[in-house]
Amino acid sequence: MDKDLISKKEVLELTGISYGQLYRWKRKNIIPESWFIKKSSYTGQETFFPREKMLTRIDTIKEMKDGYSLDELSDFFSPNPTKIEISEEELRSHNLLSEHTLALCTSLLGVKNVFEFPDILNMMITEKAQRLQVPKEHQQTLFLFLHEKFTPLKESSLELIGIRKGEAYMWILLPLPSDFLVDHLAQVVLRFDLQQMMEELKMTLTNTNGI
């Protein structure tokens, strides 16, 4: 069986959750239905999950479930970000972004009193690209590409691919999970799971502001 998958039986054994909890979380979309993967096995048809995502998600749920209701958790893990508006001063207080990234992105957005969730997410992605030594001019093209093409309010199950060939950089959005091939002269400089990054940002903002 694919090592990146984990069976339902293993999930229950490793995490200590019950069958009932698992399916309550499914009904509330706290665990996405798309993660329930039916596959044939020697015992018939069995349910599997993406291993790393599933175990990480359950750890997060277990950490949060005593402080939040199922409806609040459902909102938190929803693909549609909670309505969030943050001033530049508040954004600085979260220590998510370097001054370099904040200056670069705000210059491209123009004058704004507050930043909404998609703007902050795109800034965070640009910050991660900067840490991977993506040159400044290509950080700019990345931010503008995300600003124009990525709409987390509508779609989050995407992967961002960054490819470099010579001095040129190319940015691609692909559905998760994605497979692709590049020629031998090209280099994959980044691969970001945007759904995971969105959840990381929600967690950071929630820990400060509440859901």
Side-chain angles (χ1 to χ4, degrees), residues 100-101 104 125-143 160 162-164 167-171 188-192:
H100 164 87
T101 301
L104 181 147
I125 295 167
T126 305
E127 172 75 16
K128 289 181 180 288
Q130 189 259 333
R131 293 175 188 172
L132 292 172
Q133 308 300 315
V134 172
K136 180 179 178 180
E137 63 269 28
H138 298 295
Q139 294 170 39
Q140 291 175 326
T141 61
L142 171 59
F143 182 79
L160 172 68
I163 297 172
R164 176 183 176 183
E167 297 303 312
Y169 283 73
M170 178 183 295
W171 312 111
V188 177
V189 295
L190 61 79
R191 292 189 71 168
F192 294 158

Short mmCIF file of all heavy atoms in Angstrom, two decimals, residues 100-101 104 125-143 160 162-164 167-171 188-192:
data_model
loop_
_atom_site.label_atom_id
_atom_site.label_comp_id
_atom_site.label_asym_id
_atom_site.label_seq_id
_atom_site.Cartn_x
_atom_site.Cartn_y
_atom_site.Cartn_z
N HIS A 100 11.16 43.58 4.99
CA HIS A 100 11.38 43.49 3.54
C HIS A 100 10.10 43.04 2.84
O HIS A 100 9.65 43.68 1.87
CB HIS A 100 12.51 42.50 3.24
CG HIS A 100 12.57 42.05 1.82
ND1 HIS A 100 13.24 42.74 0.84
CD2 HIS A 100 12.00 40.97 1.19
CE1 HIS A 100 13.09 42.13 -0.32
NE2 HIS A 100 12.35 41.05 -0.13
N THR A 101 9.49 41.94 3.31
CA THR A 101 8.29 41.40 2.65
C THR A 101 7.11 42.35 2.81
O THR A 101 6.35 42.58 1.87
CB THR A 101 7.94 40.02 3.23
OG1 THR A 101 9.04 39.13 3.01
CG2 THR A 101 6.69 39.45 2.58
N LEU A 104 7.60 45.28 0.44
CA LEU A 104 7.44 44.85 -0.96
C LEU A 104 5.96 44.67 -1.31
O LEU A 104 5.47 45.17 -2.32
CB LEU A 104 8.22 43.55 -1.18
CG LEU A 104 8.20 42.94 -2.59
CD1 LEU A 104 9.52 42.25 -2.89
CD2 LEU A 104 7.05 41.94 -2.75
N ILE A 125 3.15 33.67 1.97
CA ILE A 125 3.74 32.82 0.94
C ILE A 125 4.97 33.50 0.35
O ILE A 125 6.02 32.87 0.15
CB ILE A 125 2.71 32.50 -0.16
CG1 ILE A 125 1.56 31.67 0.41
CG2 ILE A 125 3.36 31.77 -1.32
CD1 ILE A 125 0.34 31.59 -0.51
N THR A 126 4.88 34.79 0.10
CA THR A 126 6.01 35.55 -0.44
C THR A 126 7.16 35.57 0.55
O THR A 126 8.33 35.47 0.16
CB THR A 126 5.56 36.98 -0.78
OG1 THR A 126 4.45 36.94 -1.67
CG2 THR A 126 6.68 37.77 -1.44
N GLU A 127 6.84 35.68 1.83
CA GLU A 127 7.88 35.63 2.87
C GLU A 127 8.63 34.30 2.83
O GLU A 127 9.87 34.27 2.90
CB GLU A 127 7.24 35.83 4.25
CG GLU A 127 8.17 35.61 5.43
CD GLU A 127 9.14 36.76 5.65
OE1 GLU A 127 8.93 37.86 5.11
OE2 GLU A 127 10.13 36.55 6.38
N LYS A 128 7.91 33.22 2.67
CA LYS A 128 8.56 31.90 2.62
C LYS A 128 9.43 31.78 1.37
O LYS A 128 10.51 31.16 1.40
CB LYS A 128 7.51 30.79 2.67
CG LYS A 128 6.84 30.63 4.04
CD LYS A 128 5.84 29.49 4.04
CE LYS A 128 5.16 29.33 5.41
NZ LYS A 128 6.10 28.78 6.41
N ALA A 129 8.99 32.37 0.27
CA ALA A 129 9.81 32.36 -0.95
C ALA A 129 11.09 33.16 -0.73
O ALA A 129 12.16 32.77 -1.20
CB ALA A 129 9.01 32.93 -2.11
N GLN A 130 10.97 34.29 -0.03
CA GLN A 130 12.15 35.11 0.25
C GLN A 130 13.17 34.32 1.07
O GLN A 130 14.38 34.40 0.83
CB GLN A 130 11.72 36.38 0.99
CG GLN A 130 12.82 37.41 1.16
CD GLN A 130 13.44 37.40 2.54
OE1 GLN A 130 12.79 37.04 3.52
NE2 GLN A 130 14.68 37.79 2.63
N ARG A 131 12.69 33.52 2.03
CA ARG A 131 13.59 32.71 2.85
C ARG A 131 14.28 31.61 2.04
O ARG A 131 15.32 31.11 2.45
CB ARG A 131 12.81 32.10 4.03
CG ARG A 131 12.32 33.14 5.03
CD ARG A 131 11.46 32.50 6.10
NE ARG A 131 10.84 33.51 6.96
CZ ARG A 131 9.91 33.24 7.88
NH1 ARG A 131 9.51 31.98 8.05
NH2 ARG A 131 9.41 34.21 8.62
N LEU A 132 13.67 31.25 0.92
CA LEU A 132 14.28 30.26 0.03
C LEU A 132 15.19 30.91 -1.01
O LEU A 132 15.57 30.28 -1.99
CB LEU A 132 13.19 29.44 -0.67
CG LEU A 132 12.38 28.51 0.24
CD1 LEU A 132 11.21 27.90 -0.53
CD2 LEU A 132 13.26 27.41 0.83
N GLN A 133 15.51 32.18 -0.80
CA GLN A 133 16.46 32.91 -1.65
C GLN A 133 15.93 33.23 -3.04
O GLN A 133 16.69 33.38 -4.00
CB GLN A 133 17.80 32.13 -1.77
CG GLN A 133 18.42 31.72 -0.45
CD GLN A 133 18.75 32.91 0.46
OE1 GLN A 133 19.29 33.90 -0.02
NE2 GLN A 133 18.39 32.83 1.72
N VAL A 134 14.60 33.29 -3.18
CA VAL A 134 14.03 33.76 -4.45
C VAL A 134 14.36 35.24 -4.58
O VAL A 134 14.12 36.01 -3.64
CB VAL A 134 12.51 33.53 -4.49
CG1 VAL A 134 11.90 34.20 -5.72
CG2 VAL A 134 12.19 32.04 -4.48
N PRO A 135 14.94 35.68 -5.71
CA PRO A 135 15.32 37.09 -5.87
C PRO A 135 14.12 38.03 -5.74
O PRO A 135 12.98 37.65 -6.02
CB PRO A 135 15.90 37.14 -7.29
CG PRO A 135 16.34 35.74 -7.59
CD PRO A 135 15.35 34.86 -6.88
N LYS A 136 14.39 39.28 -5.33
CA LYS A 136 13.34 40.24 -5.03
C LYS A 136 12.38 40.45 -6.20
O LYS A 136 11.15 40.48 -6.00
CB LYS A 136 13.96 41.59 -4.64
CG LYS A 136 12.92 42.64 -4.31
CD LYS A 136 13.57 43.95 -3.90
CE LYS A 136 12.51 45.03 -3.62
NZ LYS A 136 13.13 46.32 -3.22
N GLU A 137 12.92 40.59 -7.43
CA GLU A 137 12.02 40.84 -8.56
C GLU A 137 11.06 39.68 -8.80
O GLU A 137 9.93 39.86 -9.24
CB GLU A 137 12.81 41.16 -9.84
CG GLU A 137 13.69 40.04 -10.35
CD GLU A 137 15.12 40.09 -9.80
OE1 GLU A 137 15.31 40.61 -8.67
OE2 GLU A 137 16.02 39.62 -10.51
N HIS A 138 11.50 38.48 -8.46
CA HIS A 138 10.64 37.32 -8.65
C HIS A 138 9.69 37.12 -7.46
O HIS A 138 8.63 36.51 -7.61
CB HIS A 138 11.48 36.08 -8.92
CG HIS A 138 12.30 36.19 -10.18
ND1 HIS A 138 11.71 36.28 -11.42
CD2 HIS A 138 13.63 36.26 -10.38
CE1 HIS A 138 12.66 36.40 -12.34
NE2 HIS A 138 13.83 36.39 -11.73
N GLN A 139 10.07 37.64 -6.31
CA GLN A 139 9.11 37.71 -5.20
C GLN A 139 7.94 38.61 -5.60
O GLN A 139 6.78 38.31 -5.29
CB GLN A 139 9.78 38.26 -3.94
CG GLN A 139 10.87 37.40 -3.34
CD GLN A 139 11.62 38.14 -2.25
OE1 GLN A 139 11.03 38.88 -1.46
NE2 GLN A 139 12.94 37.98 -2.21
N GLN A 140 8.24 39.69 -6.28
CA GLN A 140 7.19 40.60 -6.74
C GLN A 140 6.26 39.91 -7.73
O GLN A 140 5.03 40.03 -7.63
CB GLN A 140 7.83 41.83 -7.39
CG GLN A 140 8.56 42.74 -6.43
CD GLN A 140 9.27 43.87 -7.13
OE1 GLN A 140 9.76 43.71 -8.24
NE2 GLN A 140 9.33 45.03 -6.50
N THR A 141 6.84 39.19 -8.71
CA THR A 141 5.98 38.51 -9.69
C THR A 141 5.16 37.42 -9.02
O THR A 141 4.01 37.19 -9.40
CB THR A 141 6.81 37.93 -10.85
OG1 THR A 141 7.73 36.96 -10.35
CG2 THR A 141 7.56 39.01 -11.59
N LEU A 142 5.74 36.76 -8.01
CA LEU A 142 4.99 35.74 -7.27
C LEU A 142 3.80 36.37 -6.55
O LEU A 142 2.67 35.87 -6.65
CB LEU A 142 5.90 35.04 -6.26
CG LEU A 142 5.21 34.10 -5.27
CD1 LEU A 142 4.46 32.99 -5.98
CD2 LEU A 142 6.21 33.52 -4.27
N PHE A 143 4.03 37.46 -5.83
CA PHE A 143 2.94 38.09 -5.09
C PHE A 143 1.83 38.55 -6.03
O PHE A 143 0.63 38.34 -5.76
CB PHE A 143 3.46 39.27 -4.27
CG PHE A 143 2.39 39.93 -3.44
CD1 PHE A 143 1.97 39.36 -2.26
CD2 PHE A 143 1.78 41.10 -3.88
CE1 PHE A 143 0.96 39.95 -1.51
CE2 PHE A 143 0.78 41.69 -3.14
CZ PHE A 143 0.36 41.12 -1.94
N LEU A 160 1.25 25.30 -4.88
CA LEU A 160 2.02 26.29 -5.61
C LEU A 160 3.37 25.70 -5.96
O LEU A 160 4.09 25.22 -5.07
CB LEU A 160 2.21 27.56 -4.77
CG LEU A 160 3.16 28.61 -5.34
CD1 LEU A 160 2.59 29.24 -6.61
CD2 LEU A 160 3.49 29.68 -4.30
N GLY A 162 7.07 26.46 -7.82
CA GLY A 162 8.00 27.44 -8.36
C GLY A 162 9.10 26.74 -9.13
O GLY A 162 9.76 25.85 -8.59
N ILE A 163 9.28 27.10 -10.39
CA ILE A 163 10.28 26.45 -11.24
C ILE A 163 11.25 27.51 -11.76
O ILE A 163 10.83 28.59 -12.21
CB ILE A 163 9.61 25.73 -12.44
CG1 ILE A 163 8.70 24.61 -11.92
CG2 ILE A 163 10.65 25.16 -13.40
CD1 ILE A 163 7.84 23.96 -12.98
N ARG A 164 12.53 27.19 -11.67
CA ARG A 164 13.57 28.09 -12.18
C ARG A 164 14.29 27.42 -13.35
O ARG A 164 14.65 26.24 -13.27
CB ARG A 164 14.57 28.42 -11.09
CG ARG A 164 15.73 29.27 -11.58
CD ARG A 164 16.74 29.52 -10.48
NE ARG A 164 17.89 30.25 -10.98
CZ ARG A 164 18.96 30.57 -10.23
NH1 ARG A 164 19.01 30.20 -8.97
NH2 ARG A 164 19.97 31.23 -10.76
N GLU A 167 17.86 32.09 -15.42
CA GLU A 167 17.49 33.21 -14.56
C GLU A 167 15.98 33.44 -14.50
O GLU A 167 15.51 34.34 -13.81
CB GLU A 167 18.18 34.49 -15.05
CG GLU A 167 19.70 34.44 -14.99
CD GLU A 167 20.21 34.14 -13.59
OE1 GLU A 167 19.73 34.79 -12.64
OE2 GLU A 167 21.07 33.26 -13.44
N ALA A 168 15.22 32.62 -15.25
CA ALA A 168 13.76 32.79 -15.32
C ALA A 168 13.07 31.95 -14.25
O ALA A 168 13.49 30.83 -13.95
CB ALA A 168 13.26 32.40 -16.70
N TYR A 169 11.99 32.51 -13.69
CA TYR A 169 11.16 31.80 -12.71
C TYR A 169 9.74 31.70 -13.27
O TYR A 169 9.25 32.63 -13.90
CB TYR A 169 11.12 32.54 -11.38
CG TYR A 169 12.36 32.38 -10.52
CD1 TYR A 169 13.55 33.02 -10.87
CD2 TYR A 169 12.34 31.59 -9.38
CE1 TYR A 169 14.69 32.89 -10.09
CE2 TYR A 169 13.47 31.46 -8.59
CZ TYR A 169 14.64 32.10 -8.95
OH TYR A 169 15.77 31.95 -8.17
N MET A 170 9.10 30.56 -12.96
CA MET A 170 7.71 30.35 -13.38
C MET A 170 6.92 29.87 -12.18
O MET A 170 7.38 29.03 -11.40
CB MET A 170 7.65 29.31 -14.50
CG MET A 170 6.24 28.98 -14.97
SD MET A 170 6.25 27.67 -16.24
CE MET A 170 7.12 28.50 -17.56
N TRP A 171 5.70 30.42 -12.03
CA TRP A 171 4.82 30.05 -10.92
C TRP A 171 3.60 29.30 -11.47
O TRP A 171 3.00 29.75 -12.44
CB TRP A 171 4.38 31.29 -10.14
CG TRP A 171 5.53 32.18 -9.81
CD1 TRP A 171 5.78 33.43 -10.31
CD2 TRP A 171 6.60 31.90 -8.92
NE1 TRP A 171 6.95 33.94 -9.79
CE2 TRP A 171 7.47 33.01 -8.92
CE3 TRP A 171 6.93 30.81 -8.11
CZ2 TRP A 171 8.63 33.08 -8.16
CZ3 TRP A 171 8.09 30.86 -7.35
CH2 TRP A 171 8.92 31.97 -7.37
N VAL A 188 13.00 22.75 -9.52
CA VAL A 188 11.86 23.10 -8.68
C VAL A 188 12.40 23.80 -7.43
O VAL A 188 13.13 23.20 -6.64
CB VAL A 188 11.04 21.85 -8.30
CG1 VAL A 188 9.89 22.23 -7.36
CG2 VAL A 188 10.48 21.16 -9.54
N VAL A 189 12.08 25.07 -7.28
CA VAL A 189 12.63 25.85 -6.17
C VAL A 189 11.70 25.89 -4.97
O VAL A 189 12.13 26.16 -3.85
CB VAL A 189 13.00 27.28 -6.61
CG1 VAL A 189 14.12 27.25 -7.62
CG2 VAL A 189 11.79 28.03 -7.18
N LEU A 190 10.40 25.64 -5.19
CA LEU A 190 9.48 25.57 -4.05
C LEU A 190 8.24 24.77 -4.42
O LEU A 190 7.83 24.73 -5.58
CB LEU A 190 9.11 26.96 -3.54
CG LEU A 190 8.40 27.98 -4.44
CD1 LEU A 190 6.90 27.71 -4.56
CD2 LEU A 190 8.63 29.38 -3.92
N ARG A 191 7.68 24.12 -3.42
CA ARG A 191 6.38 23.44 -3.53
C ARG A 191 5.64 23.71 -2.24
O ARG A 191 6.07 23.27 -1.17
CB ARG A 191 6.54 21.93 -3.73
CG ARG A 191 7.13 21.51 -5.05
CD ARG A 191 7.06 20.00 -5.26
NE ARG A 191 5.68 19.56 -5.48
CZ ARG A 191 5.36 18.33 -5.92
NH1 ARG A 191 6.31 17.44 -6.17
NH2 ARG A 191 4.09 18.01 -6.12
N PHE A 192 4.54 24.45 -2.29
CA PHE A 192 3.78 24.81 -1.11
C PHE A 192 2.37 24.25 -1.20
O PHE A 192 1.66 24.50 -2.18
CB PHE A 192 3.69 26.34 -0.95
CG PHE A 192 5.01 27.02 -0.66
CD1 PHE A 192 5.16 28.37 -0.95
CD2 PHE A 192 6.07 26.34 -0.10
CE1 PHE A 192 6.35 29.04 -0.68
CE2 PHE A 192 7.28 26.98 0.17
CZ PHE A 192 7.42 28.34 -0.12
#
